[in-house]
Amino acid sequence: MRTRPERVLPQHRVRGLRGRPWTDYGLFLVLVLPNLALLGIFVYRPLVDDIRLSFTDWNISDPLAHYIGFANYREWWGRNDSWQIVTNTVVFTVAAVAGSMLLGLALALLLDRKLFGRNVVRSIVFAPFVISGAAIGIIFQFIFDPSFGLVQDLLHRIGVHHVPDFYQDPHWAMVMITVTYIWKNLGYSFVIYLAALQGVRRELMEAAEIDGASRWTTFSRVLLPQLRPTTFFLSITVLLNSLQVFDIVNVMTRGGPLGTGTTTMIYQVYRESFVNFRAGYGATVATIMFVVLLIVTLLQVRVMDRGER
């Protein structure tokens, strides 16, 4: 009589924390540690060095940095141009973020439809995003030139003969660099929103249409809630990118007119560090920017979490 072979039970894997195998933790470390090392070397270490230098008086040509405590922060708080530069930064950032996202969403809604040649138009809209900001700044200098630029020609054609002086008036100069920045970076918001529209639940849109909802109601009550994560992502990334704009300002206005007419905080960091050779004070401005960005980002995350709940 043949006997049935005994069934060999598999050996239990060695378990670690929370019952997961130690091999999973090992794989996790192998995948994560190289990225953490790169972040530590190229992001967190420069951040720590920047905060350390903000407490010093350092000329970049001097090998030694002299510790002066909070003197740079007190100087920044008491300088008249600091608040003008902060105002410039806030106005430019709010206009750039709102303009890029609203126009990007509008173009994404338009080019999401089945239109003739839409792929060509999509490429045209996205193309400026991959072009150098310095090159675009030079081109738009000619466009906004009050003597022979395209804007001047268009205004004359519609009967407006008083052309704003975009290079001498600080307010119009800010409008000029804001429009240029939005035109360059519009393609980024457009592509992200266009990708998000591909994942929208069409049955909800159709149900709203069957129920007799107006276009605005369908847009605001059905479509926008589905785009909330994308809007949150764009609000952070576009905000960070707009606060770091340097090339367009440097090429078109160099922070002027009238000294600080279009100077933003990131341009002030460059000017103080590499033009005035006060790297310690430049590090102070950069540290203040980091703290403000951290607070704004945390507030955005909290608002997003509340919206999701």
Short mmCIF file of all heavy atoms in Angstrom, two decimals, residues 92-93 96-97 100 129 181 185 188-189 233-247 266 289 293:
data_model
loop_
_atom_site.label_atom_id
_atom_site.label_comp_id
_atom_site.label_asym_id
_atom_site.label_seq_id
_atom_site.Cartn_x
_atom_site.Cartn_y
_atom_site.Cartn_z
N PHE A 92 4.02 90.38 -8.14
CA PHE A 92 4.44 89.56 -9.27
C PHE A 92 4.01 88.11 -9.09
O PHE A 92 3.49 87.48 -10.03
CB PHE A 92 5.96 89.64 -9.43
CG PHE A 92 6.50 88.70 -10.47
CD1 PHE A 92 6.43 89.03 -11.81
CD2 PHE A 92 7.06 87.49 -10.11
CE1 PHE A 92 6.92 88.17 -12.78
CE2 PHE A 92 7.55 86.62 -11.06
CZ PHE A 92 7.48 86.95 -12.41
N THR A 93 4.19 87.56 -7.89
CA THR A 93 3.87 86.16 -7.65
C THR A 93 2.38 85.89 -7.77
O THR A 93 1.96 84.92 -8.42
CB THR A 93 4.39 85.73 -6.27
OG1 THR A 93 5.79 85.96 -6.19
CG2 THR A 93 4.10 84.26 -6.02
N ALA A 96 1.37 86.21 -11.41
CA ALA A 96 1.93 85.12 -12.23
C ALA A 96 1.20 83.81 -11.96
O ALA A 96 0.86 83.07 -12.89
CB ALA A 96 3.42 84.98 -11.96
N VAL A 97 0.95 83.51 -10.68
CA VAL A 97 0.28 82.26 -10.34
C VAL A 97 -1.16 82.26 -10.85
O VAL A 97 -1.61 81.30 -11.50
CB VAL A 97 0.33 82.03 -8.81
CG1 VAL A 97 -0.53 80.83 -8.43
CG2 VAL A 97 1.77 81.80 -8.35
N SER A 100 -1.20 82.31 -14.83
CA SER A 100 -0.77 81.04 -15.43
C SER A 100 -1.82 79.95 -15.26
O SER A 100 -2.12 79.20 -16.19
CB SER A 100 0.56 80.60 -14.81
OG SER A 100 1.58 81.53 -15.06
N PHE A 129 7.59 77.19 -22.96
CA PHE A 129 8.05 76.71 -21.65
C PHE A 129 9.45 76.12 -21.72
O PHE A 129 10.19 76.16 -20.73
CB PHE A 129 7.06 75.68 -21.09
CG PHE A 129 7.46 75.12 -19.77
CD1 PHE A 129 7.45 75.92 -18.63
CD2 PHE A 129 7.85 73.79 -19.64
CE1 PHE A 129 7.81 75.40 -17.39
CE2 PHE A 129 8.22 73.27 -18.41
CZ PHE A 129 8.20 74.08 -17.29
N TYR A 181 6.53 86.61 -18.24
CA TYR A 181 6.66 85.37 -17.47
C TYR A 181 5.46 84.46 -17.69
O TYR A 181 5.61 83.24 -17.86
CB TYR A 181 6.83 85.68 -15.99
CG TYR A 181 6.91 84.46 -15.13
CD1 TYR A 181 8.12 83.78 -14.95
CD2 TYR A 181 5.78 83.94 -14.49
CE1 TYR A 181 8.21 82.64 -14.18
CE2 TYR A 181 5.85 82.80 -13.72
CZ TYR A 181 7.07 82.16 -13.57
OH TYR A 181 7.14 81.01 -12.80
N ASN A 185 5.57 80.58 -19.22
CA ASN A 185 5.26 79.42 -18.37
C ASN A 185 3.82 78.95 -18.46
O ASN A 185 3.42 78.06 -17.71
CB ASN A 185 5.60 79.76 -16.91
CG ASN A 185 7.09 79.94 -16.70
OD1 ASN A 185 7.83 78.99 -16.47
ND2 ASN A 185 7.55 81.17 -16.75
N TYR A 188 3.18 75.13 -19.03
CA TYR A 188 3.30 74.16 -17.93
C TYR A 188 1.94 73.90 -17.31
O TYR A 188 1.51 72.74 -17.17
CB TYR A 188 4.28 74.70 -16.90
CG TYR A 188 4.36 73.87 -15.65
CD1 TYR A 188 5.01 72.63 -15.65
CD2 TYR A 188 3.81 74.31 -14.45
CE1 TYR A 188 5.08 71.86 -14.50
CE2 TYR A 188 3.89 73.55 -13.30
CZ TYR A 188 4.53 72.34 -13.33
OH TYR A 188 4.60 71.57 -12.19
N SER A 189 1.24 74.95 -16.91
CA SER A 189 -0.10 74.78 -16.32
C SER A 189 -1.05 74.15 -17.32
O SER A 189 -1.88 73.30 -16.96
CB SER A 189 -0.65 76.13 -15.85
OG SER A 189 0.19 76.71 -14.88
N PHE A 233 -1.57 70.95 -6.61
CA PHE A 233 -0.21 70.71 -7.06
C PHE A 233 0.34 71.90 -7.83
O PHE A 233 1.48 72.35 -7.61
CB PHE A 233 -0.19 69.45 -7.94
CG PHE A 233 1.10 69.23 -8.66
CD1 PHE A 233 2.21 68.72 -8.01
CD2 PHE A 233 1.21 69.53 -10.02
CE1 PHE A 233 3.40 68.51 -8.68
CE2 PHE A 233 2.40 69.33 -10.70
CZ PHE A 233 3.50 68.81 -10.02
N LEU A 234 -0.46 72.46 -8.74
CA LEU A 234 -0.01 73.59 -9.53
C LEU A 234 0.19 74.84 -8.68
O LEU A 234 1.12 75.62 -8.92
CB LEU A 234 -1.01 73.88 -10.65
CG LEU A 234 -0.95 72.97 -11.86
CD1 LEU A 234 -2.09 73.29 -12.82
CD2 LEU A 234 0.39 73.12 -12.57
N SER A 235 -0.67 75.04 -7.69
CA SER A 235 -0.54 76.23 -6.85
C SER A 235 0.80 76.25 -6.13
O SER A 235 1.39 77.32 -5.93
CB SER A 235 -1.69 76.29 -5.84
OG SER A 235 -1.61 75.22 -4.91
N ILE A 236 1.30 75.08 -5.75
CA ILE A 236 2.60 75.02 -5.06
C ILE A 236 3.75 75.16 -6.06
O ILE A 236 4.67 75.96 -5.87
CB ILE A 236 2.72 73.71 -4.27
CG1 ILE A 236 1.72 73.71 -3.10
CG2 ILE A 236 4.14 73.53 -3.74
CD1 ILE A 236 1.78 72.46 -2.25
N THR A 237 3.72 74.38 -7.13
CA THR A 237 4.85 74.39 -8.07
C THR A 237 4.96 75.72 -8.81
O THR A 237 6.08 76.24 -8.99
CB THR A 237 4.70 73.24 -9.07
OG1 THR A 237 3.42 73.33 -9.72
CG2 THR A 237 4.81 71.90 -8.38
N VAL A 238 3.83 76.28 -9.26
CA VAL A 238 3.89 77.57 -9.95
C VAL A 238 4.32 78.67 -8.99
O VAL A 238 5.07 79.59 -9.37
CB VAL A 238 2.52 77.89 -10.58
CG1 VAL A 238 2.52 79.29 -11.22
CG2 VAL A 238 2.17 76.86 -11.64
N LEU A 239 3.89 78.59 -7.74
CA LEU A 239 4.32 79.57 -6.74
C LEU A 239 5.83 79.51 -6.54
O LEU A 239 6.52 80.55 -6.54
CB LEU A 239 3.60 79.31 -5.42
CG LEU A 239 4.07 80.14 -4.22
CD1 LEU A 239 3.70 81.61 -4.43
CD2 LEU A 239 3.47 79.62 -2.92
N LEU A 240 6.37 78.32 -6.38
CA LEU A 240 7.81 78.17 -6.18
C LEU A 240 8.58 78.66 -7.41
O LEU A 240 9.61 79.33 -7.28
CB LEU A 240 8.15 76.71 -5.89
CG LEU A 240 7.58 76.14 -4.57
CD1 LEU A 240 7.94 74.67 -4.44
CD2 LEU A 240 8.12 76.91 -3.38
N ASN A 241 8.10 78.32 -8.59
CA ASN A 241 8.80 78.74 -9.81
C ASN A 241 8.77 80.25 -10.00
O ASN A 241 9.77 80.85 -10.41
CB ASN A 241 8.18 78.06 -11.03
CG ASN A 241 8.44 76.56 -11.06
OD1 ASN A 241 9.42 76.09 -10.50
ND2 ASN A 241 7.56 75.81 -11.70
N SER A 242 7.63 80.87 -9.71
CA SER A 242 7.53 82.32 -9.90
C SER A 242 8.38 83.09 -8.90
O SER A 242 8.91 84.15 -9.22
CB SER A 242 6.06 82.77 -9.78
OG SER A 242 5.55 82.49 -8.49
N LEU A 243 8.54 82.55 -7.70
CA LEU A 243 9.40 83.22 -6.72
C LEU A 243 10.87 83.10 -7.07
O LEU A 243 11.70 83.85 -6.56
CB LEU A 243 9.16 82.62 -5.32
CG LEU A 243 7.90 83.08 -4.61
CD1 LEU A 243 7.70 82.29 -3.32
CD2 LEU A 243 7.97 84.57 -4.29
N GLN A 244 11.21 82.17 -7.95
CA GLN A 244 12.61 81.97 -8.31
C GLN A 244 12.96 82.57 -9.67
O GLN A 244 14.05 82.33 -10.19
CB GLN A 244 12.93 80.48 -8.34
CG GLN A 244 12.75 79.78 -7.00
CD GLN A 244 13.01 78.29 -7.07
OE1 GLN A 244 14.04 77.84 -7.54
NE2 GLN A 244 12.04 77.51 -6.62
N VAL A 245 12.06 83.38 -10.25
CA VAL A 245 12.34 83.94 -11.58
C VAL A 245 13.49 84.94 -11.46
O VAL A 245 13.50 85.83 -10.62
CB VAL A 245 11.09 84.61 -12.16
CG1 VAL A 245 10.59 85.76 -11.29
CG2 VAL A 245 11.35 85.07 -13.58
N PHE A 246 14.48 84.75 -12.30
CA PHE A 246 15.66 85.61 -12.30
C PHE A 246 16.03 86.08 -13.70
O PHE A 246 16.31 87.25 -13.92
CB PHE A 246 16.84 84.87 -11.68
CG PHE A 246 18.16 85.58 -11.85
CD1 PHE A 246 18.51 86.63 -11.03
CD2 PHE A 246 19.05 85.19 -12.85
CE1 PHE A 246 19.71 87.30 -11.20
CE2 PHE A 246 20.25 85.85 -13.03
CZ PHE A 246 20.59 86.91 -12.20
N ASP A 247 16.02 85.16 -14.66
CA ASP A 247 16.52 85.45 -15.99
C ASP A 247 15.74 86.56 -16.67
O ASP A 247 16.32 87.49 -17.26
CB ASP A 247 16.54 84.19 -16.85
CG ASP A 247 15.27 83.36 -16.71
OD1 ASP A 247 14.29 83.86 -16.11
OD2 ASP A 247 15.25 82.20 -17.20
N ILE A 266 14.39 87.25 -4.91
CA ILE A 266 15.44 86.39 -5.45
C ILE A 266 16.46 87.22 -6.22
O ILE A 266 17.67 86.92 -6.21
CB ILE A 266 14.83 85.28 -6.34
CG1 ILE A 266 15.86 84.21 -6.64
CG2 ILE A 266 14.27 85.86 -7.61
CD1 ILE A 266 16.30 83.42 -5.46
N MET A 289 13.15 84.29 2.64
CA MET A 289 12.32 83.69 1.59
C MET A 289 11.97 82.25 1.91
O MET A 289 10.82 81.82 1.72
CB MET A 289 13.06 83.74 0.25
CG MET A 289 13.02 85.05 -0.47
SD MET A 289 13.70 84.88 -2.15
CE MET A 289 12.58 83.68 -2.85
N LEU A 293 8.20 80.82 2.35
CA LEU A 293 7.73 79.74 1.49
C LEU A 293 7.28 78.53 2.31
O LEU A 293 6.28 77.89 1.97
CB LEU A 293 8.84 79.32 0.53
CG LEU A 293 9.02 80.18 -0.72
CD1 LEU A 293 10.24 79.72 -1.50
CD2 LEU A 293 7.79 80.10 -1.59
#
